[in-house]
């Protein structure tokens, strides 16, 4: 299937999430100006410099899973405002309308080249992909379903980190998700973490970094604290490519970087390698 065809088969994403006809877009990588549809039809990769633009969770489902196989989980969970943070609920409501999601992660089951998997896909268009109670709960429930069903769990991360409006309840999600992953691992099951731009803060410091495979998209920003904070703390100038996927791969913190166009094929091969006798079929 041509990449340009991938986006014509949307799985429930609202139509307004695609670019309006004729809208122009400047690539953040090379500054070249495109008709936005041209980039969208290339899986949101700049045809000139290969810069990977941000995707919505539904767009990711469309290019990653077998067509029509995705079934979402836990869309009924509602974000509350436990600390009484001013205008928090209203802001969440705006992002719900904007993205068609109930929170900053979409979870569900589907087939990856015929193989059953459970996926969680974070969406940075929703409160910068930050992790509050509902994001942590959705991810944990998805992991637990994968464990019960005996299938691999795959996550695409994109996050500004733990959500400050829920304070310590957000931080607790780091431990909760990590414990669920430990149980998944103890059941002998596969976990693949795919880090996309940007993956930072409490998400990078918990489930994003503890995959059996930690894979990233090219040039993704991955880190815990921001560059300026670190420079001020260690009183040193950091290298230009610090916190890029390429830097992390070079320093042994990632297993691979896959171009978005090859992500589905490569991850499907990894999953197949980990099924019983699968290495004989790859
Ligand atoms: Zn470009």
């Amino acid at each position: 299937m041509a990449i340009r065809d991938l986006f014509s088969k949307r799985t429930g994403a609202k139509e307004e999430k695609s670019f309006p006809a004729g809208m122009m877009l400047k690539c953040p990588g090379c500054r070249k100006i495109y008709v936005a549809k041209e980039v969208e039809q290339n899986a949101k990769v700049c045809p000139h410099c290969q810069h990977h633009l941000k995707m919505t969770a539904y767009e990711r489902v469309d290019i990653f899973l077998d067509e029509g196989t995705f079934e979402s989980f836990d869309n009924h969970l509602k974000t509350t405002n436990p600390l009484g943070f001013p205008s928090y609920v209203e802001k969440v409501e705006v992002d719900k309308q904007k993205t068609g999601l109930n929170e900053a992660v979409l979870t569900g089951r589907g087939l990856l080249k015929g193989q059953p998997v459970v996926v969680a896909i974070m969406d940075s268009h929703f409160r910068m992909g930050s992790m509050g109670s509902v994001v942590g709960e959705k991810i944990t429930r998805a992991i637990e379903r994968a464990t019960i069903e005996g299938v691999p769990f795959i996550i695409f991360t994109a996050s500004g980190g733990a959500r400050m409006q829920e304070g310590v309840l957000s931080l607790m999600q780091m431990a909760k998700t990590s414990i669920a992953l430990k149980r998944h691992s103890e059941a002998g099951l596969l976990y693949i973490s795919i880090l996309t731009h940007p993956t930072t803060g409490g998400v990078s410091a918990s489930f994003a970094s503890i995959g059996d495979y930690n894979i990233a998209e090219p040039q993704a920003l991955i880190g815990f604290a921001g560059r300026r904070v670190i420079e001020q703390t260690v009183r040193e100038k950091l290298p230009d490519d610090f916190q890029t996927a390429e830097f992390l791969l070079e320093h042994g913190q990632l297993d691979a970087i896959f171009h978005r166009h090859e992500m589905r094929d490569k991850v499907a091969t990894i999953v197949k390698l980990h099924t019983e006798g699968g290495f004989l079929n790859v």
Side-chain angles (χ1 to χ4, degrees), residues 1 9-11 61-62 65-70 111 264:
M1 185 191 289
K9 299 178 178 64
R10 307 183 72 80
T11 50
V61 165
D62 283 353
L65 294 176
D66 298 356
E67 188 187 342
T69 63
F70 181 69
L111 297 177
R264 173 177 150 86

Side-chain angles (χ1 to χ4, degrees), residues 138-271:
K138 285 185 79 174
I139 291 171
T140 304
R141 289 186 185 198
I143 298 164
E144 288 174 347
R145 287 208 201 203
T147 308
I148 290 166
E149 293 175 16
V151 301
F153 178 68
I154 301 169
I155 193 162
F156 285 86
T157 64
S159 180
R163 189 173 297 172
M164 68 171 187
Q165 290 93 337
E166 293 185 32
V168 73
L169 296 172
S170 296
L171 297 178
M172 285 166 63
Q173 308 308 315
M174 296 169 66
K176 188 168 77 180
T177 51
S178 299
I179 291 165
L181 285 169
K182 175 69 175 159
R183 291 188 183 131
H184 188 70
S185 173
E186 283 171 353
L189 296 165
L190 179 65
Y191 167 44
I192 300 173
S193 174
I194 301 164
L195 298 91
T196 74
H197 180 80
T199 294
T200 60
V203 167
S204 77
S206 59
F207 55 84
S209 303
I210 55 174
D212 296 310
Y213 293 82
N214 296 322
I215 297 164
E217 286 193 331
Q219 296 166 346
L221 170 75
I222 301 164
F224 183 62
R227 178 189 190 90
R228 208 170 36 179
V229 171
I230 299 172
E231 284 188 333
Q232 285 169 358
T233 307
V234 301
R235 296 172 195 278
E236 261 179 51
K237 178 97 180 76
L238 296 166
D240 287 343
D241 61 349
F242 182 69
Q243 293 184 327
T244 60
E246 289 72 15
F247 183 91
L248 293 178
L249 181 67
E250 199 181 320
H251 291 81
Q253 299 200 4
L254 284 175
D255 297 303
I257 297 172
F258 295 152
H259 192 287
R260 189 173 288 164
H261 291 171
E262 59 179 13
M263 189 66 78
R264 173 177 150 86
D265 283 350
K266 298 255 189 187
V267 175
T269 300
I270 293 171
V271 169

Side-chain angles (χ1 to χ4, degrees), residues 26-32 34 45-53:
K26 187 192 265 185
C27 168
C30 65
R31 307 272 161 202
K32 211 166 167 344
Y34 288 99
V45 175
C46 171
H48 180 65
C49 76
Q50 304 300 307
H51 182 88
H52 287 43
L53 282 80

